[in-house]
């Protein structure tokens, strides 16, 4: 259940980020593109009118009367003023324009001849990088593509502005819908992947649980008997004597669960044996190094504590054949000894 909750949260986060990107960024880019296309499709005279109206209302510029110019002829340059200063406004109508240094230098020269302080270059096209560098030197302000649309948008005819916004909004909603399907697919794949991984882990744990007792028995059968196992076993109590008929009969009489326990039960047996061994005099502690090796930290003689250790070990059929590592006493120069209470 947790994996599906995480997959749902992941899908929601991905869809939220995609929605924010498509609505806040791509929608505005699409609106600018459609708006410039709409401006480029306008008649020249309509375009020049909304440009001059925008410059008048936004910049406070007024037309400079030109009695020599014929108002019926299309014009691309307009001389405007804001009081004491004049500006030469140049319109390059169309999206195909790629304006470079030459056109900018020409506008700058024309502005100086007209006694203007500088020029304003307006186009739905694009001013190249070298043209922008030249514009800074020529005192020419550039209003191209992305800068022009926000300036002229409020002055478009109402139906044209509505069509542009509707087109951009529809494109954004279409992309958001596709993103929702993608996010749902991603969440489904993550959820199924987590579920599959969990099932595989459970299967692996089940196989390990089934195989562990058999592996423990096999390892115990293969564990070599040490050289001194037989002499020491002779010293153990009769009840723990290896290979006796009584022990074999007792082992056969024990339930299968105790003779071949699962991992949890075997862990419990080992913990109990460690505690019981440590209660005998001469034994400091019993620590399991592996499933088949019990390390005894002793303070007494081996011959004294060994019968006590074997008495506890042989109480557990699953642990009778474990190897006992007898560590040297503290401060005594003795070797490490390995013994077994019972051999197969």
């Amino acid at each position: 259940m947790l994996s599906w909750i995480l997959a749902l949260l992941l899908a929601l986060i991905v869809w939220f980020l995609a929605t924010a990107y498509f609505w806040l960024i791509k929608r505005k880019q699409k609106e600018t593109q459609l708006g410039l296309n709409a401006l480029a499709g306008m008649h020249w005279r309509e375009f020049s009118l909304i440009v001059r109206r925008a410059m008048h209302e936004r910049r406070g510029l007024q037309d400079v009367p030109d009695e020599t110019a014929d108002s019926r002829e299309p014009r691309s340059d307009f001389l405007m003023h804001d009081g004491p200063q004049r500006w030469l406004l140049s319109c390059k109508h169309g999206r195909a324009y790629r304006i470079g240094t030459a056109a900018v230098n020409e506008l700058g020269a024309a502005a100086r001849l007209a006694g203007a302080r500088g020029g304003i270059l307006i186009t739905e096209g694009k001013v190249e990088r070298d043209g922008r560098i030249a514009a800074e030197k020529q005192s020419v302000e550039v209003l191209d593509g992305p800068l022009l649309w926000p300036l002229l948008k409020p002055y478009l005819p109402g139906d044209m502005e509505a069509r542009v916004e509707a087109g951009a909004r529809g494109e954004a909603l279409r992309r958001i819908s596709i993103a929702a399907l993608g996010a749902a697919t991603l969440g489904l794949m993550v959820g199924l992947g987590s579920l599959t991984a969990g099932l595989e882990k459970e299967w692996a744990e089940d196989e390990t649980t089934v195989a562990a007792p058999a592996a423990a028995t096999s390892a115990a059968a293969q564990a070599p008997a040490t050289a001194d196992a037989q002499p020491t076993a002779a010293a153990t109590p009769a009840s723990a004597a290896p290979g006796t008929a009584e022990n074999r009969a007792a082992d056969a009489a024990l339930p299968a669960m105790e003779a071949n326990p699962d991992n949890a039960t075997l862990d419990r047996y080992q913990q109990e044996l460690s505690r019981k061994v440590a209660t005998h005099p001469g034994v400091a502690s019993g620590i399991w190094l592996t499933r088949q090796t019990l390390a005894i930290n002793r303070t007494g003689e081996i011959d004294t504590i060994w019968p006590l250790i074997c008495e506890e070990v042989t109480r557990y059929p699953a642990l009778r054949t474990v190897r006992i590592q007898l560590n040297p006493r503290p401060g005594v120069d003795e070797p490490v000894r390995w013994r077994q209470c019972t051999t197969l």
Side-chain angles (χ1 to χ4, degrees), residues 154-211:
Y155 305 99
L156 289 177
D159 56 342
M160 183 180 295
E161 182 180 358
R163 286 197 305 269
V164 169
E165 291 180 346
R169 185 167 54 252
E171 179 69 13
L173 292 176
R174 184 181 69 84
R175 292 179 175 179
I176 290 173
S177 300
I178 295 174
L181 292 177
T185 302
L186 176 62
L188 181 61
M189 292 176 62
V190 171
L192 291 176
S194 300
L195 180 62
T196 303
L199 291 176
E200 291 178 351
K201 184 178 179 180
E202 290 179 2
W203 293 339
E205 290 177 352
D206 292 342
E207 292 177 357
T208 303
T209 302
V210 172

Side-chain angles (χ1 to χ4, degrees), residues 57-201:
E57 295 184 4
R58 294 290 186 89
R59 302 288 185 88
L61 299 180
Q62 302 287 341
D63 288 328
V64 175
D66 188 357
E67 299 179 355
T68 62
D70 188 352
S71 60
R72 293 172 299 178
E73 294 293 330
R75 298 166 55 193
S76 62
D77 297 340
F78 304 92
L79 195 61
M80 307 187 77
H81 69 91
D82 58 359
Q85 302 291 342
R86 290 188 174 188
W87 304 88
L88 182 60
L89 180 66
S90 179
C91 298
K92 305 295 183 183
H93 185 44
R95 295 218 60 188
Y97 279 103
R98 295 296 181 268
I99 300 173
T101 305
V104 174
N105 289 337
E106 181 181 351
L107 176 58
R112 288 191 295 272
L113 289 175
R117 180 179 178 181
I120 302 176
L121 178 60
I122 294 180
T123 180
E124 301 103 319
K126 181 180 179 181
V127 178
E128 304 290 350
R129 184 172 180 274
D130 57 342
R132 294 183 181 276
I133 295 175
E136 295 179 358
K137 298 178 180 179
Q138 296 289 340
S139 298
V140 173
E141 180 182 1
V142 174
L143 296 175
D144 62 351
L147 296 176
L148 181 62
W149 169 245
L151 178 68
L152 301 184
K153 177 183 176 181
Y155 305 99
L156 289 177
D159 56 342
M160 183 180 295
E161 182 180 358
R163 286 197 305 269
V164 169
E165 291 180 346
R169 185 167 54 252
E171 179 69 13
L173 292 176
R174 184 181 69 84
R175 292 179 175 179
I176 290 173
S177 300
I178 295 174
L181 292 177
T185 302
L186 176 62
L188 181 61
M189 292 176 62
V190 171
L192 291 176
S194 300
L195 180 62
T196 303
L199 291 176
E200 291 178 351
K201 184 178 179 180

